[in-house]
Amino acid sequence: MSKRGIIILGHGSSYEYNKRTIDEQAERLRSMGYDNVRVGYNQMCRPYVEDSMKAFADEGVDEVIALPFFIASGLHMTKDLPPKLGLDYDATEGYTEKYGRKMKVIYETPFGKDPLLTQILADKYKEAITPGKKSAAIIIGHGSKLGFNKEVIETNVDRLNDMGITAYAAFNELDVPTIEETLDRMVADGAEEIVAIPLFISAGDHLKNDLPGKLHVKDGVPDGVFEQDGRSIAMHYLTPIGADPRLVNVLAAKIDRIPEA
Protein backbone atom coordinates (compact mmCIF):
# COMPACT_ATOMS: atom_id res chain seq x y z
CA MET A 1 0.00 0.00 0.00
CA SER A 2 1.28 3.45 -0.88
CA LYS A 3 2.09 6.03 1.78
CA ARG A 4 -0.33 8.93 1.83
CA GLY A 5 0.05 12.50 3.00
CA ILE A 6 -2.69 15.08 3.52
CA ILE A 7 -2.01 18.81 3.19
CA ILE A 8 -4.52 21.51 4.11
CA LEU A 9 -3.84 24.55 1.94
CA GLY A 10 -4.34 27.99 3.43
CA HIS A 11 -4.20 31.45 1.92
CA GLY A 12 -1.99 32.83 4.68
CA SER A 13 -2.40 36.17 6.41
CA SER A 14 -0.50 38.71 8.46
CA TYR A 15 -3.13 38.09 11.15
CA GLU A 16 -2.87 35.09 13.44
CA TYR A 17 -6.58 34.25 13.03
CA ASN A 18 -6.11 32.54 9.67
CA LYS A 19 -3.23 30.32 10.76
CA ARG A 20 -4.89 29.42 14.06
CA THR A 21 -8.10 28.42 12.29
CA ILE A 22 -6.39 26.12 9.80
CA ASP A 23 -4.02 24.63 12.38
CA GLU A 24 -7.02 23.76 14.56
CA GLN A 25 -8.82 22.05 11.69
CA ALA A 26 -5.66 20.06 10.91
CA GLU A 27 -5.47 18.94 14.54
CA ARG A 28 -9.13 17.88 14.42
CA LEU A 29 -8.37 15.70 11.39
CA ARG A 30 -5.47 14.08 13.25
CA SER A 31 -7.70 13.43 16.26
CA MET A 32 -10.13 11.58 13.95
CA GLY A 33 -7.36 9.15 13.06
CA TYR A 34 -6.02 10.61 9.81
CA ASP A 35 -2.25 10.20 9.64
CA ASN A 36 0.43 12.47 8.23
CA VAL A 37 -1.63 15.67 8.10
CA ARG A 38 0.28 18.87 7.35
CA VAL A 39 -0.67 22.44 6.55
CA GLY A 40 0.84 24.65 3.86
CA TYR A 41 0.26 28.34 3.17
CA ASN A 42 0.31 30.17 -0.11
CA GLN A 43 1.92 33.25 1.41
CA MET A 44 2.73 35.15 4.60
CA CYS A 45 2.64 32.13 6.95
CA ARG A 46 4.94 29.19 7.55
CA PRO A 47 5.12 26.45 6.58
CA TYR A 48 4.67 27.34 2.92
CA VAL A 49 3.14 24.76 0.58
CA GLU A 50 6.60 23.99 -0.78
CA ASP A 51 7.94 23.30 2.74
CA SER A 52 5.28 20.68 3.44
CA MET A 53 5.57 19.08 0.01
CA LYS A 54 9.32 18.72 0.49
CA ALA A 55 8.70 17.15 3.91
CA PHE A 56 6.33 14.62 2.33
CA ALA A 57 8.94 13.70 -0.28
CA ASP A 58 11.62 13.30 2.38
CA GLU A 59 9.29 10.98 4.33
CA GLY A 60 8.74 8.71 1.33
CA VAL A 61 5.13 9.73 0.64
CA ASP A 62 3.69 8.32 -2.61
CA GLU A 63 0.37 10.20 -2.75
CA VAL A 64 -0.63 13.65 -1.52
CA ILE A 65 -4.23 14.76 -1.06
CA ALA A 66 -4.31 18.56 -1.16
CA LEU A 67 -7.35 20.09 0.55
CA PRO A 68 -7.74 23.81 -0.17
CA PHE A 69 -9.20 25.54 2.87
CA PHE A 70 -10.86 28.12 0.67
CA ILE A 71 -14.51 29.11 0.29
CA ALA A 72 -14.33 29.42 -3.49
CA SER A 73 -11.97 29.11 -6.40
CA GLY A 74 -10.02 32.05 -7.80
CA LEU A 75 -6.58 33.05 -9.00
CA HIS A 76 -4.80 31.59 -5.97
CA MET A 77 -6.56 28.27 -6.52
CA THR A 78 -6.00 28.07 -10.27
CA LYS A 79 -2.66 29.84 -10.78
CA ASP A 80 -0.66 30.04 -7.54
CA LEU A 81 -1.20 26.73 -5.80
CA PRO A 82 -0.97 24.08 -8.57
CA PRO A 83 2.72 24.84 -9.40
CA LYS A 84 3.56 24.82 -5.69
CA LEU A 85 2.06 21.35 -5.50
CA GLY A 86 4.10 20.36 -8.55
CA LEU A 87 1.14 20.42 -10.94
CA ASP A 88 0.47 22.36 -14.12
CA TYR A 89 -1.73 25.45 -13.98
CA ASP A 90 -5.42 24.55 -13.61
CA ALA A 91 -4.57 20.86 -13.06
CA THR A 92 -6.48 18.91 -10.42
CA GLU A 93 -4.45 15.70 -10.46
CA GLY A 94 -1.09 14.48 -11.66
CA TYR A 95 2.39 13.33 -10.73
CA THR A 96 5.26 15.49 -9.58
CA GLU A 97 8.97 14.90 -9.11
CA LYS A 98 9.58 18.53 -8.19
CA TYR A 99 10.61 17.66 -4.65
CA GLY A 100 12.98 14.81 -5.43
CA ARG A 101 10.45 11.98 -5.32
CA LYS A 102 7.68 10.92 -7.66
CA MET A 103 4.39 11.60 -5.87
CA LYS A 104 0.81 11.52 -7.09
CA VAL A 105 -1.01 14.74 -6.19
CA ILE A 106 -4.80 14.94 -5.94
CA TYR A 107 -5.87 18.58 -5.73
CA GLU A 108 -9.35 18.82 -4.26
CA THR A 109 -11.91 21.59 -4.71
CA PRO A 110 -12.74 24.35 -2.19
CA PHE A 111 -15.40 23.43 0.33
CA GLY A 112 -17.87 26.24 -0.38
CA LYS A 113 -20.25 24.21 -2.56
CA ASP A 114 -20.18 21.06 -0.45
CA PRO A 115 -23.71 20.11 0.71
CA LEU A 116 -22.27 19.35 4.14
CA LEU A 117 -21.34 23.03 4.45
CA THR A 118 -24.94 24.04 3.73
CA GLN A 119 -26.07 21.75 6.53
CA ILE A 120 -23.59 23.42 8.90
CA LEU A 121 -25.02 26.82 7.93
CA ALA A 122 -28.53 25.52 8.60
CA ASP A 123 -27.48 24.17 11.99
CA LYS A 124 -25.79 27.44 12.96
CA TYR A 125 -28.91 29.37 11.96
CA LYS A 126 -31.24 27.11 13.97
CA GLU A 127 -28.97 27.40 17.01
CA ALA A 128 -29.18 31.21 16.88
CA ILE A 129 -32.87 31.93 16.26
CA THR A 130 -35.56 32.68 18.83
CA PRO A 131 -38.64 30.43 18.68
CA GLY A 132 -41.75 32.32 17.69
CA LYS A 133 -40.01 35.13 15.84
CA LYS A 134 -40.02 35.64 12.08
CA SER A 135 -36.36 34.94 11.45
CA ALA A 136 -34.17 35.02 8.36
CA ALA A 137 -30.52 34.41 7.48
CA ILE A 138 -28.17 36.70 5.58
CA ILE A 139 -25.24 34.75 4.11
CA ILE A 140 -22.38 37.18 3.56
CA GLY A 141 -19.60 36.74 1.03
CA HIS A 142 -16.45 38.77 0.55
CA GLY A 143 -17.29 39.57 -3.05
CA SER A 144 -14.95 39.38 -6.02
CA LYS A 145 -14.40 40.64 -9.54
CA LEU A 146 -14.54 36.99 -10.55
CA GLY A 147 -17.74 34.98 -10.35
CA PHE A 148 -16.62 32.14 -8.07
CA ASN A 149 -17.46 33.70 -4.69
CA LYS A 150 -20.89 34.92 -5.77
CA GLU A 151 -21.76 31.51 -7.18
CA VAL A 152 -20.86 29.80 -3.89
CA ILE A 153 -22.91 32.22 -1.79
CA GLU A 154 -25.94 31.97 -4.06
CA THR A 155 -25.71 28.16 -4.17
CA ASN A 156 -25.85 27.94 -0.39
CA VAL A 157 -28.66 30.48 -0.17
CA ASP A 158 -30.73 28.51 -2.69
CA ARG A 159 -30.18 25.30 -0.77
CA LEU A 160 -31.13 26.91 2.54
CA ASN A 161 -34.35 28.21 1.04
CA ASP A 162 -35.08 24.72 -0.31
CA MET A 163 -34.63 23.48 3.29
CA GLY A 164 -37.31 25.89 4.49
CA ILE A 165 -34.95 28.55 5.87
CA THR A 166 -35.56 32.08 4.64
CA ALA A 167 -32.11 33.09 3.43
CA TYR A 168 -30.63 36.00 1.48
CA ALA A 169 -27.26 36.64 -0.16
CA ALA A 170 -25.13 39.74 0.42
CA PHE A 171 -21.57 40.87 -0.28
CA ASN A 172 -19.17 43.12 1.55
CA GLU A 173 -17.71 44.57 -1.65
CA LEU A 174 -17.32 44.15 -5.42
CA ASP A 175 -20.62 42.28 -5.85
CA VAL A 176 -24.31 42.96 -5.41
CA PRO A 177 -26.53 42.93 -3.53
CA THR A 178 -24.68 44.82 -0.83
CA ILE A 179 -25.27 44.09 2.85
CA GLU A 180 -27.24 47.30 3.19
CA GLU A 181 -29.47 46.48 0.20
CA THR A 182 -30.17 43.00 1.50
CA LEU A 183 -31.01 44.21 5.01
CA ASP A 184 -33.49 46.68 3.54
CA ARG A 185 -35.12 43.84 1.62
CA MET A 186 -35.24 41.60 4.69
CA VAL A 187 -36.89 44.29 6.78
CA ALA A 188 -39.38 45.01 3.98
CA ASP A 189 -40.17 41.30 3.89
CA GLY A 190 -41.09 41.43 7.58
CA ALA A 191 -38.05 39.90 9.30
CA GLU A 192 -38.12 40.36 13.07
CA GLU A 193 -34.77 38.64 13.71
CA ILE A 194 -31.76 38.36 11.40
CA VAL A 195 -28.91 35.85 11.67
CA ALA A 196 -25.82 37.10 9.85
CA ILE A 197 -23.46 34.30 8.83
CA PRO A 198 -20.17 35.45 7.24
CA LEU A 199 -18.95 32.83 4.78
CA PHE A 200 -15.34 33.74 5.51
CA ILE A 201 -12.43 31.56 6.64
CA SER A 202 -11.43 33.63 9.65
CA ALA A 203 -11.68 37.00 11.35
CA GLY A 204 -9.79 39.94 9.90
CA ASP A 205 -10.19 43.54 8.81
CA HIS A 206 -13.47 43.03 6.97
CA LEU A 207 -15.15 41.14 9.81
CA LYS A 208 -13.87 43.50 12.49
CA ASN A 209 -14.05 46.86 10.69
CA ASP A 210 -16.54 46.61 7.82
CA LEU A 211 -19.30 44.20 8.77
CA PRO A 212 -20.25 45.28 12.33
CA GLY A 213 -21.27 48.77 11.23
CA LYS A 214 -23.19 47.48 8.24
CA LEU A 215 -25.00 44.95 10.46
CA HIS A 216 -25.77 47.45 13.23
CA VAL A 217 -23.69 45.71 15.89
CA LYS A 218 -20.56 46.75 17.76
CA ASP A 219 -17.21 45.07 17.16
CA GLY A 220 -16.87 42.23 19.63
CA VAL A 221 -20.60 42.20 20.48
CA PRO A 222 -22.41 39.45 18.57
CA ASP A 223 -25.98 40.59 19.24
CA GLY A 224 -27.79 43.85 18.79
CA VAL A 225 -31.05 45.56 17.91
CA PHE A 226 -31.61 48.18 15.23
CA GLU A 227 -34.58 50.37 14.38
CA GLN A 228 -35.91 50.58 10.85
CA ASP A 229 -39.31 51.50 9.41
CA GLY A 230 -40.64 51.99 12.91
CA ARG A 231 -39.72 48.47 14.00
CA SER A 232 -37.05 46.89 16.19
CA ILE A 233 -35.12 44.08 14.50
CA ALA A 234 -32.82 41.74 16.42
CA MET A 235 -29.42 40.99 14.86
CA HIS A 236 -27.18 37.99 15.61
CA TYR A 237 -23.71 38.27 14.07
CA LEU A 238 -22.09 34.82 14.01
CA THR A 239 -18.41 33.94 13.82
CA PRO A 240 -16.80 33.10 10.46
CA ILE A 241 -17.46 29.60 9.18
CA GLY A 242 -13.83 28.47 9.00
CA ALA A 243 -13.47 27.88 12.73
CA ASP A 244 -16.58 25.73 13.07
CA PRO A 245 -15.56 22.29 14.41
CA ARG A 246 -18.13 20.59 12.17
CA LEU A 247 -16.24 21.73 9.09
CA VAL A 248 -13.65 19.01 9.67
CA ASN A 249 -16.31 16.53 8.55
CA VAL A 250 -16.32 18.21 5.13
CA LEU A 251 -12.56 17.70 4.88
CA ALA A 252 -12.83 14.11 6.09
CA ALA A 253 -15.52 13.32 3.53
CA LYS A 254 -13.27 14.59 0.73
CA ILE A 255 -10.47 12.31 1.91
CA ASP A 256 -12.75 9.30 2.29
CA ARG A 257 -14.03 9.63 -1.27
CA ILE A 258 -10.52 8.98 -2.62
CA PRO A 259 -9.65 5.26 -2.64
CA GLU A 260 -6.26 4.34 -1.26
CA ALA A 261 -3.81 3.13 -3.88
Side-chain angles (χ1 to χ4, degrees):
M1 184 177 291
S2 64
K3 186 174 182 179
R4 172 179 280 185
I6 300 165
I7 180 171
I8 302 178
L9 306 171
H11 181 284
S13 170
S14 56
Y15 291 99
E16 184 65 21
Y17 309 113
N18 184 266
K19 180 173 172 57
R20 185 187 311 130
T21 294
I22 294 174
D23 286 348
E24 286 174 352
Q25 296 290 6
E27 187 54 42
R28 290 185 181 113
L29 263 186
R30 296 183 191 108
S31 70
M32 293 171 68
Y34 293 92
D35 296 326
N36 210 7
V37 177
R38 293 182 174 273
V39 298
Y41 297 95
N42 184 51
Q43 59 187 12
M44 289 188 265
C45 292
R46 291 280 189 177
Y48 293 138
V49 175
E50 298 93 329
D51 299 330
S52 293
M53 291 296 291
K54 180 64 166 64
F56 282 144
D58 291 344
E59 293 166 359
V61 165
D62 303 297
E63 179 184 76
V64 176
I65 299 175
L67 303 172
F69 205 72
F70 285 68
I71 301 292
S73 188
L75 291 178
H76 293 307
M77 282 283 307
T78 58
K79 302 303 180 186
D80 293 350
L81 289 170
K84 295 177 181 182
L85 293 168
L87 299 175
D88 295 332
Y89 291 117
D90 296 323
T92 58
E93 186 173 321
Y95 287 87
T96 180
E97 296 186 44
K98 179 177 179 179
Y99 297 100
R101 178 179 176 82
K102 186 175 182 179
M103 298 185 291
K104 182 178 181 180
V105 179
I106 301 169
Y107 183 31
E108 268 289 340
T109 56
F111 60 79
K113 287 187 179 180
D114 196 298
L116 289 174
L117 173 65
T118 312
Q119 185 59 56
I120 292 172
L121 298 179
D123 291 343
K124 288 173 74 70
Y125 170 80
K126 292 173 183 177
E127 291 161 5
I129 60 174
T130 304
K133 281 195 173 183
K134 185 175 181 180
S135 305
I138 177 171
I139 309 301
I140 303 172
H142 181 284
S144 171
K145 294 178 181 179
L146 303 176
F148 302 110
N149 185 258
K150 186 167 187 174
E151 184 179 352
V152 164
I153 299 299
E154 291 178 342
T155 295
N156 280 285
V157 166
D158 289 344
R159 287 180 185 156
L160 289 170
N161 279 293
D162 288 343
M163 294 165 70
I165 294 172
T166 303
Y168 301 74
F171 301 90
N172 183 53
E173 59 184 4
L174 303 174
D175 274 319
V176 291
T178 66
I179 293 170
E180 295 91 339
E181 290 168 342
T182 298
L183 289 181
D184 286 345
R185 181 184 168 196
M186 296 173 81
V187 173
D189 288 347
E192 300 172 332
E193 177 182 58
I194 294 172
V195 179
I197 307 178
L199 208 52
F200 283 62
I201 294 296
S202 60
D205 283 336
H206 294 306
L207 271 68
K208 290 178 64 64
N209 300 326
D210 297 348
L211 269 60
K214 295 178 181 181
L215 294 170
H216 308 287
V217 297
K218 296 179 180 179
D219 178 28
V221 181
D223 300 302
V225 176
F226 68 97
E227 304 292 327
Q228 188 165 324
D229 296 343
R231 295 168 42 221
S232 295
I233 296 96
M235 175 66 71
H236 306 298
Y237 179 33
L238 305 191
T239 54
I241 192 67
D244 194 292
R246 291 165 286 196
L247 197 55
V248 72
N249 295 317
V250 179
L251 302 181
K254 287 179 177 292
I255 298 168
D256 292 345
R257 286 195 289 264
I258 301 170
E260 295 200 31

